[in-house]
Amino acid sequence: MVKRITNKVTWVGKVDWELVYFHGKEYSTDKGSSYNSYLIRDKKTVLMDTVWGPYDREFVERLKEEIDLKDIDYIVMNHNESDHSGALPLLMAEIPDTPIYCTKKGEAIIRGHYHQDWNFVTVKTGDTLDLGDSKLVFIEAPMLHWPDTMFTYMTGEEILFSNDGFGQHFASESLYNDKVDQGELFHEAMKYYANILNLYSPMVTRKIKEILDMNVPVKMICPSHGVIWRNNPLEIVEMYQKWADAYQENQITLIYDTMWNSTRRMAECIAAGIREADPTVTVKLMNSSKADKNDICTEVFKSKAVLVGSPTVNYGFMYSIGGILEMLKGLKFKNKKAAAFGSYGWTGESPKQIHEHLEAGGFRVIADDLKVMWVPDEESRKLCIQFGRDFVKSLEQ
Ligand code: FEO
């Protein structure tokens, strides 16, 4: 089903309600996703981005119902990861000479993926493509989130096609930001930012400034995943500005794994101490072997501090904690404080190792590591509660 957005622009993408994981299993998509592709009909006709490979046949068939493929004058590829370029081979088999507009890096990536000598036209920031009444203006946006990424602004319709930027893995038949559950939408938008874009926050800040400095009207932002921002589209831009600036809320998150509940009980006692010392702070506990890893990263993104705990097993920490620490290191959250804790039976290396990994991930560890032998007794539980209280005091210093 295609959807007309304006007189000149039609959504021709694919809503994927079944998608459970993205990037292998790196990103959980419990709300599905969409691969947004847009058909622009002015005096010239443009197809903007395609869809993921498994949907190539239905994409091309649906496109044919909408337009004779030979009437497509240009293809614009804003970003060439497989979820957007996957239908190119099937499409290009039908219209092999159609020019593909993309960045220089984009051409290299398409060639690297599909090994075809298609008719590439490489563009840079400020280059334009005249469509008749309207014009496409290209804006390179490297590392948002791949080196090839660009945004395209359409004059006349005043639409910013932002590809992954401002996107969400969020399936919806409603298409627009004002037609969906706002809590779900902003949760998915934040999760997307925290897990995919946060690492590139300095580029996000610079790119938004560059676009705002262009001083062009923006009626809609059309990303490549999720809903179109048509109602107050600059709201998500302002959120990105905040998110890109070492974002944090008044929240502390405890992440732990546990074998026989000793480390869990430590976490709960620490949390009680934190709550007692600061009743205004939001405290969340997440078992890393049970909670969704991307939800954990999103909660860390929102937090001013995290405490990470694991019992010692095989002279190290549990594997789910290892996975989370590796993800946190890669995401490079800024301006966050931390501490490490864990139970043990005989050697007790885990908190020290967690401490080192947190520091390697850019966290400032502000407390000595906390260890409890075997099952916490009353004295140990008091120690954990006091640890929580002291942690809050250290945060204030
Ligand atoms: Fe949605 Fe980076 O691909």
Side-chain angles (χ1 to χ4, degrees), residues 113-353:
H113 277 61
Y114 305 110
H115 315 290
Q116 297 290 326
D117 195 21
W118 290 322
N119 179 12
F120 295 103
V121 180
T122 59
V123 294
K124 304 184 296 303
T125 295
D127 288 350
T128 59
L129 180 59
D130 206 333
L131 306 184
D133 297 335
S134 57
K135 222 168 44 174
L136 297 183
V137 182
F138 302 111
I139 307 154
E140 291 167 278
M143 301 321 295
L144 297 181
H145 66 125
W146 268 25
D148 64 323
T149 302
M150 68 175 183
F151 295 170
T152 300
Y153 177 75
M154 182 181 181
T155 65
E157 302 303 282
E158 300 174 348
I159 295 176
L160 180 69
F161 296 95
S162 58
N163 201 269
D164 285 340
F166 312 115
Q168 334 90 47
H169 285 306
F170 184 33
S172 160
E173 293 300 317
S174 308
L175 197 61
Y176 297 108
N177 67 320
D178 52 312
K179 294 286 186 193
V180 296
D181 182 289
Q182 298 299 289
E184 286 184 343
L185 171 61
F186 284 101
H187 172 78
E188 292 303 326
M190 180 186 271
K191 177 177 167 183
Y192 193 96
Y193 188 90
N195 285 275
I196 292 186
L197 287 167
N198 182 76
L199 172 60
Y200 308 111
S201 287
M203 290 80 143
V204 170
T205 303
R206 280 201 297 274
K207 192 52 55 183
I208 287 177
K209 182 174 183 319
E210 184 186 323
I211 289 169
L212 294 178
D213 286 350
M214 285 168 63
N215 210 17
V216 291
V218 177
K219 256 192 216 146
M220 276 189 233
I221 297 176
C222 291
S224 59
H225 298 291
V227 297
I228 291 168
W229 303 92
R230 71 168 176 188
N231 181 46
N232 188 13
L234 290 183
E235 184 182 11
I236 188 65
V237 176
E238 284 160 18
M239 284 200 166
Y240 263 48
Q241 285 175 311
K242 272 196 250 170
W243 293 344
D245 187 19
Y247 182 74
Q248 58 177 239
E249 297 176 13
N250 186 24
Q251 177 172 325
I252 297 174
T253 302
L254 292 96
I255 306 159
Y256 64 91
D257 201 349
T258 193
M259 293 172 76
W260 298 106
N261 288 324
S262 292
T263 300
R264 174 178 64 75
R265 294 179 79 181
M266 288 180 73
E268 289 170 355
C269 290
I270 296 168
I274 291 170
R275 289 283 304 149
E276 191 188 303
D278 182 1
T280 69
V281 72
T282 300
V283 183
K284 292 190 181 171
L285 286 86
M286 305 182 92
N287 181 322
S288 55
S289 68
K290 296 181 181 177
D292 177 84
K293 63 193 183 312
N294 303 106
D295 285 344
I296 293 175
C297 291
T298 308
E299 294 302 332
V300 173
F301 175 66
K302 286 163 68 181
S303 298
K304 59 184 180 184
V306 296
L307 295 99
V308 180
S310 169
T312 297
V313 55
N314 299 334
Y315 309 106
F317 41 67
M318 292 179 77
Y319 86 93
S320 75
I321 288 294
I324 289 294
L325 289 170
E326 192 58 28
M327 287 183 82
L328 294 180
K329 188 169 80 172
L331 293 171
K332 288 198 170 23
F333 295 128
K334 294 272 186 298
N335 193 25
K336 300 203 188 284
K337 293 170 181 163
F341 64 97
S343 63
Y344 71 108
W346 48 102
T347 52
E349 293 88 345
S350 166
K352 180 171 180 286
Q353 292 179 10

Side-chain angles (χ1 to χ4, degrees), residues 15-35 52 55 81 83 164 167-172 184 187-189 191-192 195-196 225-226 292-295 298 327:
V15 179
D16 189 347
W17 287 93
E18 292 189 355
L19 193 73
V20 182
Y21 290 109
F22 190 78
H23 286 159
K25 279 197 159 184
E26 191 74 3
Y27 191 112
S28 59
T29 49
D30 47 308
K31 294 281 191 303
S33 192
S34 66
Y35 319 104
W52 187 33
Y55 296 112
E81 196 166 0
D83 50 327
D164 285 340
Q168 334 90 47
H169 285 306
F170 184 33
S172 160
E184 286 184 343
H187 172 78
E188 292 303 326
K191 177 177 167 183
Y192 193 96
N195 285 275
I196 292 186
H225 298 291
D292 177 84
K293 63 193 183 312
N294 303 106
D295 285 344
T298 308
M327 287 183 82

Side-chain angles (χ1 to χ4, degrees), residues 19-77:
L19 193 73
V20 182
Y21 290 109
F22 190 78
H23 286 159
K25 279 197 159 184
E26 191 74 3
Y27 191 112
S28 59
T29 49
D30 47 308
K31 294 281 191 303
S33 192
S34 66
Y35 319 104
N36 297 337
S37 169
Y38 302 93
L39 186 65
I40 300 172
R41 278 175 283 210
D42 196 332
K43 294 197 172 53
K44 295 288 186 182
T45 298
V46 175
L47 179 71
M48 176 114 18
D49 299 323
T50 74
V51 302
W52 187 33
Y55 296 112
D56 60 354
R57 196 157 299 280
E58 64 177 275
F59 170 73
V60 172
E61 290 306 314
R62 217 171 29 244
L63 206 52
K64 279 182 183 171
E65 289 167 14
E66 186 66 15
I67 190 171
D68 183 338
L69 296 185
K70 293 191 174 46
D71 290 340
I72 297 174
D73 296 295
Y74 314 110
I75 295 167
V76 170
M77 292 302 300

